[in-house]
Amino acid sequence: DAAGRRGVEMRMTVQLTGLQQLRAQLAGVSERRLAAIAATGLTRTAKRASVLWQERIDTKVENPMAFTRKAVRIEPARANKLSAKVAVKDVNGRGLSQAEYLQQHEYGGGRVVKKFERSLIASGVMPQGYITVPGRGVERNGYGNVPRSTIIAVLRQVATSVTRGYDRTISRDADRRARANARHGTRYFVMPVGNPQGVSPGIYSRDAMGALRMVFAFRRLVQYSRKLTLEQTARDAIPTIAAEELERALRESLARLRARGG
């Protein structure tokens, strides 16, 4: 049986039923050995399902970051717990966790609001129902994202309220770069939604030479289509994978038993 749950932690649990019926068909196989065989088969099933999930994430998510390319984990089965779990990780101290980020691609709907954006909303800088989009020409890192030093500098200058826990994500290096930007004259300011000048709303910067650029644009919350379908992928594949892996584990165990003359 396979069961999934929608929420912050996206997971699929593989459980084994009918073990007693199987044991009745296997003369000479103890209950303890059969439980060990089942645990091995379930764990291997979860590992193969995790590979399918990660491959789908890597191909369906555009330009995935390093933490997204390592988003899937498993919990192995044990002889006294005949279930194994494959899940998207829910651990990331620098913003959205893998599960928070990927659930929008799994289930569709509105994009998850980031901690940075929640700080802007709490400060009254950006209205509810909006998100940020990197401005044209702003510096990006290798994954196409605005560097953390820029985000920190923006928060320091325009946000009066910082989302709880965000300070813990600020590294010393990023903090030093943010302070250096300020010393060199980079200043950030907000053009609010609906401003009378008709300027595109967002966060802008002006450097010491007077050059102006948009750092973040404010955009209405976008809607994502479902493009991962991890749960359905697992539901389709797990019955076949589980049958193969349980058969393999049983075959290996019986071979070892015969080799010992059991």
Side-chain angles (χ1 to χ4, degrees):
D1 295 332
R5 176 172 67 88
R6 176 173 180 170
V8 172
E9 184 188 44
M10 296 189 296
R11 65 173 173 82
M12 184 68 63
T13 301
V14 187
Q15 296 177 308
L16 183 65
T17 59
L19 195 60
Q20 292 304 318
Q21 294 91 322
L22 178 60
R23 186 189 173 198
Q25 301 174 31
L26 298 171
V29 177
S30 67
E31 184 174 347
R32 180 179 178 183
R33 177 176 290 274
L34 188 56
I37 292 169
T40 298
L42 288 171
T43 299
R44 290 174 175 175
T45 298
K47 287 181 178 178
R48 286 178 60 181
S50 74
V51 172
L52 289 178
W53 273 21
Q54 192 61 63
E55 288 176 347
R56 191 158 184 85
I57 290 168
D58 292 346
T59 56
K60 294 297 183 178
V61 175
E62 183 179 357
N63 196 23
M65 297 177 64
F67 88 107
T68 306
R69 295 198 302 270
K70 297 179 180 180
V72 184
R73 65 181 181 86
I74 72 163
E75 291 183 11
R78 301 188 300 272
N80 61 353
K81 182 185 75 75
L82 293 180
S83 67
K85 181 165 75 173
V86 55
V88 176
K89 297 174 184 175
D90 190 25
V91 178
N92 180 38
R94 295 189 170 187
L96 295 180
S97 70
Q98 293 98 324
E100 289 173 320
Y101 170 65
L102 290 172
Q103 68 178 337
Q104 63 205 15
H105 298 291
E106 172 71 4
Y107 303 113
R111 198 254 281 163
V112 176
V113 178
K114 301 175 182 178
K115 287 184 179 180
F116 166 62
E117 294 163 336
R118 293 201 294 270
S119 294
L120 297 180
I121 292 169
S123 300
V125 171
M126 185 174 70
Q128 289 278 0
Y130 281 76
I131 59 171
T132 59
V133 176
R136 183 179 301 175
V138 71
E139 179 188 357
R140 309 280 190 101
N141 61 24
Y143 298 105
N145 299 315
V146 176
R148 294 189 55 74
S149 58
T150 301
I151 292 174
I152 293 165
V154 168
L155 288 176
R156 287 189 177 280
Q157 292 189 30
V158 307
T160 58
S161 175
V162 176
T163 300
R164 182 181 179 184
Y166 197 94
D167 283 339
R168 293 198 299 271
T169 73
I170 299 176
S171 70
R172 292 179 180 177
D173 288 343
D175 192 29
R176 281 197 295 268
R177 288 193 295 270
R179 293 179 184 275
N181 283 342
R183 285 197 304 271
H184 287 86
T186 301
R187 291 291 180 266
Y188 299 93
F189 62 94
V190 178
M191 292 300 287
V193 174
N195 65 81
Q197 296 89 346
V199 177
S200 296
I203 297 172
Y204 291 76
S205 71
R206 190 185 299 276
D207 62 24
M209 303 300 293
L212 185 68
R213 64 175 178 171
M214 175 184 277
V215 181
F216 291 102
F218 296 163
R219 296 285 186 266
R220 289 194 178 276
L221 195 60
V222 297
Q223 297 293 312
Y224 284 83
S225 60
R226 297 184 63 186
K227 60 182 179 181
L228 279 182
T229 59
L230 299 179
E231 289 183 1
Q232 190 59 52
T233 297
R235 289 182 189 280
D236 292 343
I238 279 176
T240 299
I241 293 174
E244 292 173 352
E245 293 302 340
L246 287 168
E247 181 182 356
R248 180 161 73 103
L250 177 61
R251 188 169 60 249
E252 291 171 352
S253 181
L254 293 178
R256 288 193 297 270
L257 190 63
R258 286 194 295 270
R260 290 198 296 265

